[in-house]
Amino acid sequence: MRASQLFIPTLREDPGDADAVSHRLLVRGGFIRQVSAGLWTYLPLGWRVHEKAVQIIREEQNAIGGQEMFMPVVTPAELWQQTGRYSIPELWKIEDRMGRPFVLALTHEETVTFHAREIRSYRELPQMLYHFQTKVRDEPRPRGGLLRVREFVMKDAYSFDRDEEGLERSFRLQEQAYHKIFDRCGLEVVEVEAESGMMGGSESMDFLAPSESGENTLVTCENGDYAADLEIARGVPRPPEFPGRLDQPEEVETPGVTTIEGLAGSLGIDEAATSKAMPVVSGEGSLVLALVRGDDRLDEAKLAAVLGSSLRPATEQEIQQAFKADPGSIGPVGFGGEVLADETLREGQFVAGANRTGRHLRGVEHGRDYEARFADIRQAREGDGCPKCGVGLRFQTAIEVGHIFKLGTDYSAPLGARFLDEDGQEKPILMGSYGIGPGRIVAAAVEQNHDEAGIAAWPVNLAPYDVHVVVLPGLEEQGEAVAESLEEAGLDVLLDDRDQRAGEKFADADLIGLPVRVTVGKKTLEDGAVDVLLRAGRSEERIEVAKVAARVKELLE
């Protein structure tokens, strides 16, 4: 491909709103352009990378028996209402000219289950279906270029099985395929336990690519014994320094104290020896008091998973009505509703709100002073120990590039996707869902392969072209000959034949980041050789023109 004929609008300056490396370099390198907040166009170079990722995914899905199909973006609202997901805030809802409600799908569980209703017998199972389709998400805060967007392409795969054994097999097949996909894409990816969120189901695994930017936090053990997404990560905090034990709670005045830091300071105690009360309202409308240690943060995703419903913070009016006190003075003693406490509060005596404004209780102890249901609802944090071996946990920013779920009957039951088993009983189909975002793969590849000059370099299997031939002025004939020899060797070549200065061509080559750069310069006329640069690491060597194709192929292996 001749650069003079290719639309590559490179930029010398970073876009002013870019906060992620991939955002900055994909825009500067002429790979993508923003149309509106969260809406991006893939320009020719960017689309070549995207489609290379798509093809790798397609090949690995086909290898495990996946059958490609294509489902519409526009789906009837009725399907989403039947599964209880119509109220998802990010769901983009529209109406046709007759006022009938529809959804712009952000995932396709409802649609594929609609089609699965045509499966009648156990003899038709298992099945594995997948497609690539545009998804639409009413994202309130798009950011990071391709990292948080309103429209994107997703590979969705869905498995259909007759029993748990079959679902487990399908899940593991996809798990193995995902590792092959990311390996072929040249990405460093860690598989971790994850929260299922709005997808539901009994088990899910996340595939996180460590990066400088991203929407996820990867939590790993320093010994390599443990890995999880922050939303589900478990950590072992340091033990609290408790004051002397009390036979019963002791009320103390704490006027004007509204923070844990202020409470611990006024009483001269460890923040870890206090409890933090967080009243929430479940999706069913009941008020639940969540309790965590004073030095911890409540993990709302964990709490929602334990409650089995969505939740929101209680309003000040709801708090006053339930506790008869201001929010900064509430606690579990005397509260008549459900108390859900973190495991760290199971043993010991803590300071808690007295449910009287401006007052707290010392020596509050579970079992003696209040009853609670216990669960892990705290957010793991720096300083925690590994739940498996006790050594420190490490926290890294990461990009979610894939997620797999065991859905069970969460969709087949409400949508009536049932089959007749060999025992004559009609049963709901067991489902799995498996998603990969090619756009996230593109962004992650840049995040993991860049330097000050640009993308350094694309993983070989994702690169829009294999080799960049840069021709200096006056050497067009020699450049054409080199490019032709490379193409005859089966390589994809980008020939920079533009009428530009050498410095501009080199700057663009660094930005674009093809794996190998071949420079045809003045010395080529003298010695019949070219400069071959391996973009990753910037190692360079002088190679005879007759041998350049063979050498470039070696470098790309």
Side-chain angles (χ1 to χ4, degrees):
M1 185 68 195
R2 296 176 181 273
S4 60
Q5 299 172 0
L6 184 61
F7 184 46
I8 318 177
T10 57
L11 301 175
R12 291 291 167 258
E13 302 294 331
D14 292 339
D17 60 342
D19 57 354
V21 170
S22 56
H23 180 181
R24 174 167 57 85
L25 293 181
L26 287 170
V27 170
R28 286 189 59 196
F31 292 87
I32 61 174
R33 282 296 184 271
Q34 185 170 346
V35 178
S36 183
L39 300 174
W40 291 87
T41 292
Y42 285 87
L43 302 182
L45 279 183
W47 192 243
R48 284 180 71 91
V49 179
H50 186 279
E51 289 305 281
K52 285 198 168 186
V54 164
Q55 185 58 26
I56 290 170
I57 297 167
R58 176 179 286 118
E59 290 171 4
E60 294 300 336
Q61 289 296 297
N62 292 345
I64 61 171
Q67 304 166 72
E68 188 168 1
M69 59 192 299
F70 189 76
M71 292 177 278
V73 177
V74 181
T75 57
E78 176 188 356
L79 295 178
W80 295 78
Q81 291 164 345
Q82 286 180 261
T83 60
R85 296 208 301 175
Y86 191 63
S87 61
I88 294 173
E90 292 80 14
L91 207 59
W92 210 306
K93 301 166 186 174
I94 60 173
E95 291 184 351
D96 67 8
R97 68 182 64 191
M98 303 300 294
R100 290 173 295 207
F102 289 85
V103 164
L104 297 179
L106 59 80
T107 184
H108 277 76
E109 283 72 21
E110 280 79 4
T111 308
V112 78
T113 309
F114 169 83
H115 292 301
R117 293 191 295 200
E118 296 194 55
I119 296 173
R120 303 299 184 190
S121 166
Y122 72 93
R123 294 186 178 89
E124 300 171 64
L125 296 171
Q127 295 281 348
M128 188 88 76
L129 306 174
Y130 77 95
H131 75 156
F132 294 92
Q133 179 57 289
T134 298
K135 312 291 182 179
V136 183
R137 177 185 178 95
D138 191 7
E139 173 58 60
R141 294 177 299 279
R143 61 166 292 273
L146 301 180
L147 297 181
R148 184 189 282 178
V149 293
R150 289 179 167 173
E151 179 180 307
F152 53 97
V153 174
M154 178 73 75
K155 184 282 299 181
D156 298 319
Y158 301 95
S159 62
F160 304 89
D161 287 280
R162 60 186 292 192
D163 53 28
E164 290 288 348
E165 182 179 351
L167 174 57
E168 173 68 13
R169 178 180 178 275
S170 296
F171 190 82
R172 298 307 165 194
L173 280 173
Q174 284 286 348
E175 181 181 47
Q176 294 163 17
Y178 273 41
H179 283 291
K180 292 180 181 179
I181 288 166
F182 299 129
D183 184 59
R184 290 180 63 186
C185 288
L187 294 184
E188 177 195 349
V189 170
V190 181
E191 182 183 1
V192 301
E193 301 175 46
E195 175 58 49
S196 296
M198 67 178 179
M199 297 289 289
S202 61
E203 180 182 348
S204 76
M205 303 298 291
D206 229 341
F207 294 82
L208 301 181
S211 67
E212 296 180 14
S213 304
E215 298 297 307
N216 293 66
T217 299
L218 169 62
V219 181
T220 55
C221 166
E222 293 177 1
N223 283 343
D225 295 328
Y226 180 73
D229 190 296
L230 179 60
E231 286 189 340
I232 201 171
R234 302 181 304 278
V236 180
R238 66 171 178 84
E241 297 178 9
F242 288 115
R245 192 177 184 281
L246 300 176
D247 292 334
Q248 61 184 15
E250 176 185 290
E251 187 174 291
V252 292
E253 293 188 7
T254 52
V257 173
T258 58
T259 66
I260 291 295
E261 183 179 11
L263 177 63
S266 67
L267 299 180
I269 60 172
D270 183 3
E271 289 184 21
T274 68
S275 63
K276 188 185 299 180
M278 312 283 287
V280 298
V281 178
S282 70
E284 289 73 38
S286 59
L287 190 144
V288 177
L289 180 62
L291 283 182
V292 295
R293 223 168 70 171
D295 60 336
D296 281 333
R297 295 182 61 179
L298 175 69
D299 190 314
E300 292 189 3
K302 289 182 179 179
L303 179 60
V306 174
L307 293 177
S309 74
S310 60
L311 55 88
R312 63 169 175 82
T315 65
E316 189 166 344
Q317 182 178 357
E318 289 169 330
I319 293 171
Q320 285 281 357
Q321 184 176 352
F323 296 92
K324 313 303 181 188
D326 290 344
S329 300
I330 63 174
V333 180
F335 174 59
E338 180 180 8
V339 178
L340 183 55
D342 185 73
E343 294 286 355
T344 54
L345 297 173
R346 189 184 290 272
E347 302 291 339
Q349 292 190 338
F350 296 83
V351 174
N355 293 327
R356 296 179 62 191
T357 298
R359 293 175 179 271
H360 281 77
L361 295 175
R362 287 180 177 269
V364 173
E365 183 178 314
H366 173 260
R368 185 191 68 183
D369 306 314
Y370 72 99
E371 294 294 335
R373 176 159 63 114
F374 286 98
D376 173 27
I377 58 173
R378 69 182 289 271
Q379 188 176 93
R381 59 193 176 92
E382 297 284 353
D384 282 355
C386 171
K388 292 188 176 181
C389 69
V391 305
L393 294 178
R394 181 174 56 183
F395 294 71
Q396 297 173 270
T397 304
I399 298 171
E400 179 189 303
V401 289
H403 206 148
I404 60 177
F405 305 83
K406 284 185 178 180
L407 300 178
T409 61
D410 283 10
Y411 296 85
S412 57
L415 290 171
R418 305 176 68 82
F419 72 99
L420 196 65
D421 209 352
E422 61 184 338
D423 61 4
Q425 298 294 313
E426 193 177 57
K427 299 174 183 178
I429 297 172
L430 273 69
M431 293 175 55
S433 176
Y434 317 93
I436 286 184
R440 290 288 188 92
I441 289 177
V442 173
V446 177
E447 292 284 341
Q448 293 185 353
N449 300 278
H450 68 272
D451 59 20
E452 293 182 359
I455 299 168
W458 286 105
V460 171
N461 289 336
L462 293 181
Y465 296 92
D466 297 318
V467 57
H468 201 152
V469 177
V470 177
V471 183
L472 300 192
L475 296 162
E476 288 76 15
E477 184 178 341
Q478 289 78 6
E480 295 270 1
V482 170
E484 185 176 341
S485 70
L486 291 165
E487 288 181 338
E488 288 176 354
L491 299 170
D492 282 334
V493 180
L494 176 60
L495 172 62
D496 193 345
D497 61 340
R498 300 173 299 164
D499 185 17
Q500 300 284 355
R501 291 175 299 184
E504 293 184 8
K505 291 188 175 187
F506 289 140
D508 281 350
D510 279 341
L511 274 176
I512 293 169
L514 300 188
V516 176
R517 184 174 82 201
V518 174
T519 303
V520 181
K522 292 180 181 179
K523 288 181 64 178
T524 303
L525 294 175
E526 302 171 6
D527 61 4
V530 293
D531 291 318
V532 177
L533 174 76
L534 189 63
R535 181 66 179 85
R538 306 193 71 89
S539 61
E540 191 169 17
E541 53 190 297
R542 192 84 179 156
I543 304 294
E544 294 178 26
V545 169
K547 299 179 179 178
V548 70
R551 180 57 181 148
V552 170
K553 292 190 76 171
E554 288 178 1
L555 292 172
L556 291 173
E557 289 177 353

